[in-house]
């Protein structure tokens, strides 16, 4: 017996896959139905729905990049410490000393790429009119995913704690200072005055809530780290699950009637 | 401009590779045109082009700074003097309009290929300019260069399918997508495609990570403000809007409206046609609105904000040195100033000191009356007016609420280009300016 066959007829292999190799029609159907990862897909699909010229595989590439970011991100978390003392030095060491410091490059460029592919995916969905009934709500979920992708990128931008990082976040979060009514430089913030006491100050406004401080500092680093590594990825993972589920429930990839 | 020689030595190696890449790309294209599509004439053209690229590559690699192919100084100077926010915006608008109107011409593979090569060649020649390449090759800016080429490619891919479908639909045929109607098994057809995509993306990402180091500047310091201070590139469109609007609008209200508008889109577009295939003719209105928002108000602003805005957020030509000492004269006026002082030749209305709150509020309203009336007309009178004129059909089909949401979103979206035009033509700063409650518009 060839070695491959020994493996495939072993009890271990069979306990994992429970069916022969997907070489004939029957087993190609069975594999789709019994494999946890593959059962996300239908068993058969219209040829047009998998044409690269139609979907550009862009949603798939975006999801793959999300997975790459998850894996490289977890590995980076083993190394990086989000404190004023260590953040910058850890990143510096990733560049200069640590073997596999390339993880940082993979993570950063993967993040940029994910922003771009999300836009391209949305562009494709628009151009094929795939947001029209019955897929309206999946488009809405998509918009939230787009927002989460941008926020993931934005919160991650701060973590290297270099000049590029804190000033980009400073410029970005300064906007919150001007939130109408809730930002202390925003229009109408004077309205929230109770008994002559101004409720909205630089220590209580929308920007303070975002940064955890009056300026981008240690509290911000901690806040963004937790958002970046836990809160937003969890939210995104949940919405991705719903997004994919809806693609199936809305009748699969869109196509002409 | 400074020490060009040293810099050119640095980029020469990269440019040599770049032109060699172009040469190989076109040699392959020539073979395809000759063998597959049987167009020997075009095959010859691209072979010649390929040879020219090889010559450029060897010039770049020759080891002498003077030989590295570049745009003539006079051309760069000309581009620098001509470029400015106005010309940039009008130019990109004109370009996109031409591309749209003559899309049948531009989607032809040979035309698209010519344009791609033209873009890549200009890019290569520009890269030999120190100022240009110092900005474009900045590690975090590289993705935007990629974005531009990807967008060009995918827009071409989508438009060429839409053009075919529009033609077929005119002839009463179903769209191309309908022809691939039969079902196939997901294993192997889709699963293998996905696997190949995954491998390709991984390879691409690895190469990118190996050849381009992630940026790391000096340790953070809250006292040393860099000039310019820029948000991450995907938010630079918003930062560019700060030139025209205060942060509460450009940074908070407009982005919220973009998100809201995108979410509302499927519920506003009541056109049932064009669902599940590429088409333009069948859904021209929604197509144009989306493309205008995406390209004009998002992508071109990001490119402008990243590549052409330097210290103090001043505009710099693509080949211009980012001098922090460049001064731009700002002579902008508020509408009340224009109305009361310039037009009526009177002082601005001011409440006398110690007058009651009511009088003060009234005076502010009087002072701002011209702007408030204009805004009122724009946001309150215009939607119903449009409903009974050019949007009559829309109004009939959409009903009151949906129509109102759509027209208001569109009018708010247009506040940006309108404000730009008002700034450039009459130096308008604010239409309404009530510093008393930090409200400037
Ligand atoms: C994190 C980001 C996202 C991921 C990973 C993702 C993933 C996917 C995948 C894998 C598909 C299957 C078809 C395809 O690959 O094109 C899909 C379909 C879809 N996506 Fe997304 N998506 C994301 C964001 C978005 C955004 C931003 C939008 C729109 C605003 C959107 C709207 C849709 C819609 C409407 C479909 C159904 C398309 C059809 O049936 O043709 N998604 N998405």
């Amino acid at each position: 017996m060839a070695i491959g066959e020994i493996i495939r007829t072993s009890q271990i292999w069979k306990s994992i896959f429970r069916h022969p190799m997907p070489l004939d029609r029957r087993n190609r159907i069975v594999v789709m139905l019994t494999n946890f990862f593959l059962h996300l897909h239908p068993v058969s699909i219209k040829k047009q729905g998998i044409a690269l010229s139609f979907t550009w595989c862009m949603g798939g590439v975006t999801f793959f990049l999300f997975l790459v970011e998850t894996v490289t991100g977890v590995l980076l978390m083993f190394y990086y410490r989000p404190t004023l003392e260590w953040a910058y030095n850890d990143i510096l060491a990733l560049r200069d000393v640590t073997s596999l410091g390339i993880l940082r490059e993979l993570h950063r460029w993967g993040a940029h790429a994910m922003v771009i592919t999300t836009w391209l995916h949305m562009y494709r969905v628009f151009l094929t009119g795939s947001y029209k009934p019955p897929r309206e709500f999946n488009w809405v979920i998509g918009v939230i995913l787009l927002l989460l992708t941008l926020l993931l990128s934005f919160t991650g931008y701060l973590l290297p704690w270099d000049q590029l990082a804190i000033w980009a976040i400073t410029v970005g979060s300064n906007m919150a200072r001007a939130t109408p009514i809730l930002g202390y430089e925003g229009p109408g913030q004077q309205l929230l005055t109770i008994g002559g006491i101004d409720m909205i100050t630089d220590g209580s406004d929308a920007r303070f809530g975002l940064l955890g401080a009056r300026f981008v500092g240690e509290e911000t680093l901690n806040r963004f780290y937790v958002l970046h590594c836990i809160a937003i990825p969890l939210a995104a993972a949940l919405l991705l699950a719903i997004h994919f589920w809806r693609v199936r429930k809305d009748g699969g990839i869109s196509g002409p009637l | 401009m400074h020490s060009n020689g040293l810099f050119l030595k640095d980029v020469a190696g990269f440019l040599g590779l770049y032109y060699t890449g172009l040469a190989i790309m076109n040699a392959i294209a020539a073979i395809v045109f000759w063998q597959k599509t049987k167009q020997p004439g075009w095959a010859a053209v691209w072979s010649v082009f390929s040879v020219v690229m090889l010559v450029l590559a060897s010039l770049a690699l020759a080891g002498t700074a003077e030989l590295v192919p570049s745009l003539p100084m006079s051309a760069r100077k000309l581009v620098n003097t001509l470029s400015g926010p106005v010309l940039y915006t009008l130019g990109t608008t004109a370009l996109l309009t031409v591309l749209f109107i003559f899309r049948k011409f531009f989607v032809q593979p040979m035309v698209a290929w010519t344009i791609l090569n033209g873009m890549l060649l200009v890019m290569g020649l520009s890269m030999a300019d120190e100022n240009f390449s110092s900005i474009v090759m900045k590690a975090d800016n590289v993705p935007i260069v990629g974005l531009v080429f990807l967008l060009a490619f995918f827009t071409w891919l989508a438009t060429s399918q839409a053009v075919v479908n529009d033609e077929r639909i005119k002839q009463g045929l179903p769209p191309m997508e309908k022809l691939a109607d039969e079902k196939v098994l997901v294993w192997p057809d889709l699963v293998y495609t996905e696997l190949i995509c995954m491998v390709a993306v991984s390879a691409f990402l690895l190469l990118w990570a190996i050849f381009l180091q992630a940026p790391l500047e000096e340790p953070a310091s809250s006292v040393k403000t860099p000039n310019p201070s820029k948000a991450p590139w995907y938010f630079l469109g918003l930062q560019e809007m700060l030139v025209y609007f205060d942060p509460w609008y450009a940074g908070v209200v407009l982005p919220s409206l973009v998100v809201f508008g995108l979410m509302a889109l499927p519920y506003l577009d009541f056109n049932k046609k064009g669902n599940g295939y590429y088409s333009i003719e069948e859904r021209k209105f929604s197509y144009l609105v989306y493309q205008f928002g995406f390209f004009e108000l998002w992508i071109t602003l990001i490119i402008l904000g990243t590549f052409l805005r330097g210290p103090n957020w001043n505009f710099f030509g693509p080949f211009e040195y980012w001098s922090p000492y460049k001064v731009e004269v700002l002579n902008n006026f508020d509408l009340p100033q224009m109305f009361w002082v310039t037009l009526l030749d009177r002082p601005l209305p001011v409440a006398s000191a110690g007058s009651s709150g009511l009088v003060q509020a009234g005076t502010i309203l009087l002072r701002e009356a011209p702007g408030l009336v204009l805004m009122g007309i724009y946001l309150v009178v215009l939607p119903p007016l449009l409903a009974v004129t050019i949007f009559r059909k829309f109004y009939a089909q959409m009903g009151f609420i949906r129509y109102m949401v759509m027209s208001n979103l569109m009018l708010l979206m247009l506040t940006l280009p309108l404000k730009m035009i008002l700034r450039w033509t009459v130096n308008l700063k604010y239409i309404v300016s009530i510093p008393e409650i930090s409200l400037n518009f």
Side-chain angles (χ1 to χ4, degrees):
Chain A
M1 252 200 298
I3 179 84
E5 203 165 329
I6 295 176
I7 293 175
R8 279 195 302 271
T9 48
S10 69
Q11 189 182 359
I12 297 177
W13 179 275
K14 278 177 160 169
S15 74
I16 299 174
F17 293 108
R18 297 206 176 284
H19 60 81
M21 290 292 279
L23 296 174
D24 53 22
R25 189 178 161 81
R26 180 177 180 280
N27 286 313
R28 283 175 171 174
I29 292 172
V30 173
V31 68
M32 297 307 297
L33 294 173
T34 54
N35 186 298
F36 175 79
F37 298 101
L38 292 176
H39 95 284
L40 194 63
H41 285 312
V43 168
S44 68
I45 190 167
K46 277 189 191 153
K47 214 170 176 178
Q48 163 266 341
I50 58 171
L52 269 183
S53 59
F54 187 76
T55 63
W56 314 342
C57 202
M58 225 17 113
V61 168
T62 310
F63 180 53
F64 179 63
L65 286 170
F66 180 78
L67 296 179
V68 169
E69 291 304 280
T70 309
V71 174
T72 52
V74 168
L75 292 174
L76 285 169
M77 280 174 81
F78 289 140
Y79 196 82
Y80 165 89
R81 288 159 285 183
T83 61
L84 292 196
E85 198 183 354
W86 289 110
Y88 181 80
N89 287 324
D90 284 346
I91 300 285
L92 195 66
L94 279 172
R95 189 181 73 185
D96 293 339
V97 216
T98 320
S99 38
L100 286 185
I102 198 176
L103 280 169
R104 173 173 178 235
E105 267 76 20
L106 285 173
H107 194 75
R108 191 178 187 98
W109 301 142
H112 283 310
M114 188 175 160
V115 170
I116 294 177
T117 57
T118 310
W119 292 358
L120 289 174
H121 169 58
M122 174 166 146
Y123 189 36
R124 180 302 271 180
V125 171
F126 176 82
L127 290 174
T128 55
S130 305
Y131 58 86
K132 298 189 178 200
R135 297 183 181 78
E136 307 101 305
F137 189 63
N138 215 13
W139 168 276
V140 176
I141 295 176
V143 176
I144 305 175
L145 279 170
L146 168 71
L147 204 63
L148 291 180
T149 307
L150 291 175
L151 286 178
L152 270 174
S153 213
F154 185 67
T155 48
Y157 215 84
L158 181 65
L159 305 185
W161 204 250
D162 62 344
Q163 281 290 73
L164 198 60
I166 69 155
W167 289 101
I169 303 306
T170 303
V171 171
S173 59
N174 271 348
M175 300 294 142
R177 196 160 65 182
T179 313
I181 303 185
L182 296 180
Y184 88 104
E185 285 177 1
Q189 58 89 7
Q190 296 84 344
L191 299 178
L192 280 188
T193 307
I194 297 174
I197 298 170
D198 201 357
M199 289 286 120
I200 301 292
T201 65
D202 65 346
S204 69
D205 70 342
R207 180 165 180 268
F208 187 90
L210 189 66
L211 300 183
R214 287 183 170 79
F215 50 86
V216 179
E218 180 150 37
E219 300 86 346
T220 317
L221 184 58
N222 185 48
R223 201 162 279 211
F224 274 40
Y225 179 73
V226 174
L227 285 172
H228 183 76
C229 301
I230 297 171
I232 307 179
L234 277 181
L238 177 67
L239 282 166
L240 280 174
I242 304 177
H243 195 58
F244 299 154
W245 165 261
R246 289 295 301 233
V247 171
R248 293 276 311 265
K249 293 294 149 184
D250 293 340
I253 303 293
S254 62
L257 290 174
Chain B
M1 311 255 167
H2 23 251
S3 64
N4 233 312
L6 270 181
F7 155 76
L8 280 172
K9 278 232 168 72
D10 281 347
V11 285
F14 169 78
L15 285 176
L17 269 178
Y18 181 86
Y19 289 120
T20 313
L22 280 188
I24 296 173
M25 193 177 100
N26 278 288
I28 296 174
I31 295 174
V32 171
F33 292 140
W34 182 39
Q35 293 274 330
K36 279 244 172 85
T37 59
K38 307 282 178 222
Q39 293 165 296
W42 281 112
V45 170
W46 296 115
S47 323
V48 173
F49 187 77
S50 170
V51 173
V52 174
M53 289 303 110
L54 274 185
V55 174
L56 291 189
S58 24
L59 283 178
L61 294 174
T64 327
E66 288 77 46
L67 286 181
V68 176
S70 60
L71 293 171
M73 264 316 175
S74 53
R76 296 185 223 172
K77 281 245 170 64
L78 186 71
V79 172
N80 282 345
T81 14
L82 282 182
S83 51
V86 182
L87 196 79
Y88 174 81
T89 313
L90 296 183
T92 45
T93 316
L95 180 74
L96 291 169
T97 313
V98 168
L99 285 173
F100 172 72
I101 294 176
F102 298 105
R103 58 187 180 278
K104 281 198 188 115
F105 171 75
F106 286 111
V107 294
Q108 297 172 63
M110 213 55 82
V111 178
W113 188 252
T114 311
I115 293 177
L116 174 66
N117 272 305
M119 277 167 73
L120 289 169
L121 183 59
V122 172
M123 183 84 195
L125 292 175
S126 306
M127 214 83 95
D129 180 272
E130 179 161 15
N131 298 317
F132 183 88
S133 80
S134 68
I135 311 255
V136 169
M137 305 246 250
K138 215 169 161 195
D140 265 355
N141 291 349
V142 170
I144 313 175
V145 180
L147 173 68
V148 170
F149 281 93
L150 284 171
L151 270 178
F153 171 73
F154 283 112
T155 304
W156 169 78
L157 184 65
T159 313
S160 45
Q161 296 178 76
V163 164
V164 173
N165 280 344
D166 286 342
E167 193 55 40
R168 288 176 61 91
I169 290 164
K170 226 196 286 170
Q171 297 169 4
L173 298 167
M176 292 294 284
E177 282 86 350
K178 186 84 188 160
L179 302 183
D181 215 354
E182 78 266 38
K183 287 216 163 183
V184 291
L185 286 183
V186 165
W187 185 297
D189 286 41
L190 175 56
V191 178
Y192 277 52
T193 312
E194 285 173 343
L195 190 72
I196 295 168
C197 275
M198 258 153 52
V199 173
V201 173
S202 310
F204 175 78
L205 203 57
L206 263 174
L207 286 178
W208 187 0
I210 290 169
F211 287 108
L212 189 67
Q213 195 172 50
L216 187 65
E217 296 186 353
E218 287 164 42
S221 150
S222 49
V223 284
K224 267 200 300 189
T225 315
N227 187 8
S229 277
K230 292 190 177 187
W233 63 266
Y234 35 83
F235 289 148
L236 285 191
L238 298 174
Q239 202 173 347
E240 173 64 19
M241 291 176 200
L242 288 175
V243 175
Y244 304 98
F245 290 111
D246 273 15
W248 71 270
Y249 191 67
V252 183
V253 173
L254 265 182
S256 311
L257 283 173
V258 171
V259 171
F260 174 76
L262 279 173
M263 287 186 180
L265 173 82
Y267 306 96
L268 298 176
D269 183 359
F270 57 87
N271 178 0
K272 294 263 182 313
K273 290 186 195 155
N275 183 347
Y277 52 91
Y278 290 97
S279 77
I280 295 174
E281 294 289 345
E282 289 199 302
R283 42 198 291 256
K284 229 176 196 161
F285 182 73
S286 62
Y287 180 87
L288 285 175
V289 173
Y290 187 91
Q291 296 292 52
F292 181 74
F294 186 45
F295 278 98
E296 271 303 310
L297 302 184
W298 191 248
I299 300 293
T300 55
L301 289 187
I302 288 179
I303 296 172
L304 172 61
T306 315
F307 296 137
L308 304 173
R309 290 290 186 182
N312 309 321
W313 209 254
N314 279 328
F315 186 96
F316 289 84
F319 308 113
E320 196 172 337
Y321 173 65
W322 279 17
S323 158
Y325 306 110
K326 180 169 178 170
V327 197
E328 257 173 35
V329 195
L330 289 176
N331 265 334
N332 298 324
F333 305 100
D334 297 339
L335 187 65
Q337 175 86 9
M338 293 180 183
F339 180 80
W340 295 104
V341 183
T342 317
L343 193 69
L344 300 185
D345 206 9
R346 290 149 146 260
L348 282 177
V350 229
S352 53
S355 52
S356 73
L358 216 56
V359 174
Q360 294 211 1
T363 321
I364 292 174
L365 284 181
L366 177 67
R367 184 188 73 205
E368 302 300 329
L372 291 173
V373 169
L374 273 185
M375 292 303 297
I377 294 177
Y378 186 72
L379 287 177
V380 182
V381 180
L382 218 47
L385 199 67
L386 291 171
V388 293
T389 52
I390 47 176
F391 283 156
R392 195 135 103 232
K393 273 200 208 134
F394 280 10
Y395 183 69
Q397 295 210 29
M398 296 176 82
F400 181 74
I401 293 183
R402 280 208 288 177
Y403 170 79
M404 277 318 221
V405 172
M406 182 204 70
S407 54
N408 276 296
L409 279 173
M410 287 200 24
L411 287 173
L412 288 169
M413 169 167 149
L414 288 177
T415 52
L416 177 63
L418 287 177
K419 188 85 186 272
M420 287 178 163
I421 293 170
L422 288 174
R423 176 68 57 82
W424 302 332
T425 50
V426 295
N427 290 330
L428 177 81
K429 188 157 182 237
Y430 293 126
I431 296 174
V432 175
S433 165
I434 314 180
E436 291 85 350
I437 54 162
S438 337
L439 182 75
N440 297 309
F441 184 81

